[in-house]
Amino acid sequence: VNSDQVGRTGSSDLLASLQSIVGGANVFSHDGIEERYCTDVLRKHSSRPAYVVRPADTQQVSAVVKVAADAGVTITALGGRTGVVGGGISPDGGLILSLERMTRVLEVDAASMTMTVEAGVPLQIAQESADAHGFILPLDLGARGSATIGGNIATNAGGVRVLRWGMARDMVLGLEAVLADGTVVSSLSKSLKDNAGYHWKDLLVGSEGTLGIITRAVLRLRPRPSSTQTALLALRSFEPVPELLRKLEGRFAGQLSSFELMWNDLYEFSSGARLQVRPRPLPAGSPLYVLIETLGSDAVRDLELFQTGLEEAQESGLIEDAVIAQSERDRTHFWDIRDDLSELFRPLFPLAAFDISLSLADMPAFVERTRAGILHEFPDSQLFYYGHAGDGNLHLIASLDRNDPEAESKVDMTVYSCVRALGGSISAEHGIGTAKREFIGFTRTPQELRLMRSIKQALDPRNILNPGKVLPDLQ
Ligand SMILES: Cc1cc2nc3c(=O)[nH]c(=O)nc-3n(C[C@H](O)[C@H](O)[C@H](O)COP(=O)(O)OP(=O)(O)OC[C@H]3O[C@@H](n4cnc5c(N)ncnc54)[C@H](O)[C@@H]3O)c2cc1C
């Protein structure tokens, strides 16, 4: 589909149809489209969609998809616009289908420990709703205030508690979606077990809006933990990390929920930026820091276990120093150093952001090789390594040379070549979008890519849903 061409074809008819489906106030077109629908959060990707449509429910989503597909106009679903790989950017002349009016928590069902939500509900609202009913929705990430459940599912989001509770996929029990021809498929199951045929819902999880538009979901909840223990650890090197993780997982009896690594550059930069508010919890200068958290149900016993585990780790030389959060204020401070980074990185724009995964044992080689490779070419680049390393996920932020238009692709090549050599994945959790599609072959074999194309072809033969994302040759 040539979106430029279809964007103009029959545009007044399409506009009238869209207005009749969702009401005139919920359709914007051409110059009436606000900038926020055209640019992504990193301000790297932008385009000129021809329409923005804000349906109120699944039936309206279905009707919008039908008329847009009939007119040959591409459709890009949009949630909280926090995606960082350009996945929510429409082709020029396409239609943005924003889920921003579909924000209801429809039910919290205590008996099945599930919640049913509309796809546009922000993650934080879903979390708060679960909390108000005595549950935890364990999915959690820095963009929780804006990111939506639909976006989380479409990107199979990870975050800071994957180690214990898994990715978004592991929390989705039921799903409702609208397919490329407007068909509504619905399986709002509340059951953990369901082996009746192919799991189409698992195809949609992580499909970045290319196979269907998620409209509702049933999410698995857990009883709300009543005790939280948080500590920041300093390490002399990376070497003890795998053993430390193994020991703490065993010692904390299944309660370890977060294990976040920060190399000194990130710790020094982020804690340093907060010095006017609070002193550093631990001095800067150690090669590595780990933020750990356990969530349990017996405050006294959990704290005892936590302290003993850390003392043992220190005695056996696995950690150099440790500080335990004594209050919620301490905890927030520790987490801010790791989590609250968007504004801190802003002065470094333009930057390249990576979200790779590889085995824990290969992380030092990745850090060493990419640091050497990038600094060799760009000696002034600032580099920050950190990540949800407990589950093999590393982030790298590299500031780019403003005077070199090729800088980003050179840095991309250095990083993704290293990932390929180490047998890792170019995307741990953010997805492929447009930003990484040229590199998908570094992680997926030609056979896997052929299979992906056949799936796309079967579900969306006209390439109407979010074209240009994930697969490099389907633009
Ligand atoms: C500060 C910050 C921290 C972050 N931390 C993490 C992290 O720890 N872990 C992590 O995984 N990600 C993280 N992200 C990335 C981002 O928050 C996630 O990818 C999030 O899941 C995107 O949700 P969204 O609603 O903003 O989606 P959007 O950005 O609106 O869209 C993302 C993709 O999903 C598609 N999509 C959106 N809604 C739907 C729908 N209803 N149906 C079908 N497709 C849809 C879009 O077309 C697009 O391809 C972070 C981002 C920021 C800015």
Side-chain angles (χ1 to χ4, degrees):
V1 175
N2 175 334
S3 351
D4 263 350
Q5 185 193 342
V6 292
R8 289 192 299 270
T9 310
S11 62
S12 59
D13 287 355
L14 177 56
L15 188 60
S17 302
L18 294 170
Q19 285 167 339
S20 76
I21 296 166
V22 298
N26 292 303
V27 182
F28 308 96
S29 66
H30 303 282
D31 294 343
I33 295 175
E34 284 176 42
E35 191 54 30
R36 65 194 171 109
Y37 295 109
C38 308
T39 314
D40 75 324
V41 71
L42 293 179
R43 304 208 177 279
K44 276 194 184 174
H45 309 272
S46 61
S47 75
R48 301 276 11 135
Y51 307 96
V52 172
V53 183
R54 306 187 308 177
D57 57 32
T58 306
Q59 295 321 314
Q60 290 190 4
V61 173
S62 164
V64 168
V65 170
K66 265 190 204 128
V67 297
D70 284 350
V73 171
T74 68
I75 302 155
T76 298
L78 197 59
R81 299 184 296 271
T82 67
V84 290
V85 292
I89 297 297
S90 156
D92 287 340
L95 181 149
I96 290 266
L97 192 152
S98 167
L99 281 292
E100 69 200 271
R101 290 172 70 217
M102 294 175 57
T103 58
R104 285 179 302 162
V105 173
L106 299 167
E107 184 192 32
V108 176
D109 179 350
S112 65
M113 291 212 286
T114 62
M115 73 193 306
T116 305
V117 299
E118 290 184 325
V121 69
L123 172 59
Q124 189 169 340
I125 301 289
Q127 289 173 333
E128 286 168 2
S129 180
D131 185 76
H133 289 81
F135 294 105
I136 178 177
L137 171 62
L139 185 65
D140 195 26
L141 41 96
R144 63 186 74 77
S146 310
T148 62
I149 294 295
N152 297 153
I153 296 174
T155 57
N156 188 25
V160 294
R161 296 191 188 128
V162 173
L163 182 61
R164 180 160 173 195
W165 284 294
M167 310 275 283
R169 181 187 305 284
D170 299 293
M171 290 162 219
V172 180
L173 296 182
L175 207 64
E176 179 188 82
V178 173
L179 301 180
D181 63 355
T183 305
V184 179
V185 281
S186 189
S187 173
L188 292 171
S189 162
K190 294 180 177 176
S191 177
L192 265 179
K193 288 188 165 177
D194 178 2
N195 276 350
Y198 303 143
H199 267 228
W200 59 265
K201 84 173 163 66
D202 281 326
L203 269 184
L204 264 71
V205 178
S207 65
E208 303 185 44
T210 62
L211 300 181
I213 295 175
I214 295 156
T215 46
R216 288 195 279 178
V218 180
L219 304 171
R220 184 178 180 192
L221 305 176
R222 313 295 168 111
R224 184 181 55 210
S226 54
S227 102
T228 306
Q229 318 298 332
T230 312
L232 184 69
L233 321 177
L235 272 61
R236 287 189 190 86
S237 71
F238 187 91
E239 204 207 317
V241 169
E243 189 184 342
L244 177 66
L245 176 60
R246 215 169 43 242
K247 285 243 159 85
L248 295 184
E249 283 220 72
R251 197 70 179 92
F252 296 155
Q255 292 187 350
L256 186 65
S257 311
S258 302
F259 187 93
E260 301 284 316
L261 281 190
M262 292 174 270
W263 270 253
N264 182 53
D265 335 48
L266 189 275
Y267 178 72
E268 194 167 350
F269 178 70
S270 180
S271 58
R274 292 170 168 79
L275 279 178
Q276 279 180 334
V277 188
R278 296 205 61 179
R280 289 192 166 99
L282 290 173
S286 293
L288 209 64
Y289 296 82
V290 192
L291 176 57
I292 61 166
E293 189 159 275
T294 62
L295 297 173
S297 55
D298 181 333
V300 176
R301 199 196 58 192
D302 295 343
L303 179 59
E304 230 172 74
L305 201 64
F306 197 66
Q307 283 170 331
T308 315
L310 291 181
E311 276 161 23
E312 286 171 2
Q314 197 153 11
E315 276 158 22
S316 53
L318 295 173
I319 54 182
E320 183 185 17
D321 203 356
V323 54
I324 297 178
Q326 301 297 321
S327 62
E328 187 53 30
R329 192 165 166 255
D330 285 353
R331 177 178 177 262
T332 308
H333 182 47
F334 293 7
W335 271 108
D336 280 352
I337 292 172
R338 160 61 189 88
D339 221 17
D340 192 12
L341 302 170
S342 309
E343 286 310 310
L344 281 189
F345 287 144
R346 211 163 280 281
L348 303 177
F349 279 17
L351 47 80
F354 299 95
D355 153 53
I356 60 110
S357 69
L358 71 178
S359 92
L360 202 51
D362 288 328
M363 283 188 186
F366 172 80
V367 172
E368 198 180 308
R369 288 187 211 170
T370 52
R371 195 193 295 279
I374 297 170
L375 292 180
H376 175 71
E377 184 126 31
F378 302 105
D380 295 331
S381 180
Q382 277 186 274
L383 304 179
F384 301 100
Y385 292 87
Y386 60 102
H388 318 296
D391 37 81
N393 185 180
L394 256 197
H395 296 309
L396 159 60
I397 302 291
S399 65
L400 295 171
D401 182 348
R402 287 198 179 97
N403 302 317
D404 183 349
E406 301 296 313
E408 183 155 19
S409 53
K410 289 177 190 164
V411 172
D412 279 354
M413 188 52 85
T414 304
V415 171
Y416 292 136
S417 301
C418 185
V419 171
R420 176 163 61 179
L422 293 170
S425 170
I426 62 163
S427 174
E429 50 180 25
H430 291 162
I432 298 295
T434 51
K436 300 181 199 163
R437 70 184 170 199
E438 305 310 326
F439 294 96
I440 192 168
F442 281 36
T443 291
R444 297 282 170 232
T445 63
Q447 292 78 5
E448 286 180 290
L449 290 172
R450 261 206 307 280
L451 176 59
M452 287 187 200
R453 270 183 227 110
S454 330
I455 293 168
K456 172 72 174 169
Q457 173 69 23
L459 288 182
D460 181 17
R462 295 173 63 210
N463 199 17
I464 289 282
L465 292 180
N466 214 8
K469 315 298 163 13
V470 183
L471 291 165
D473 46 356
L474 286 181
Q475 296 184 37

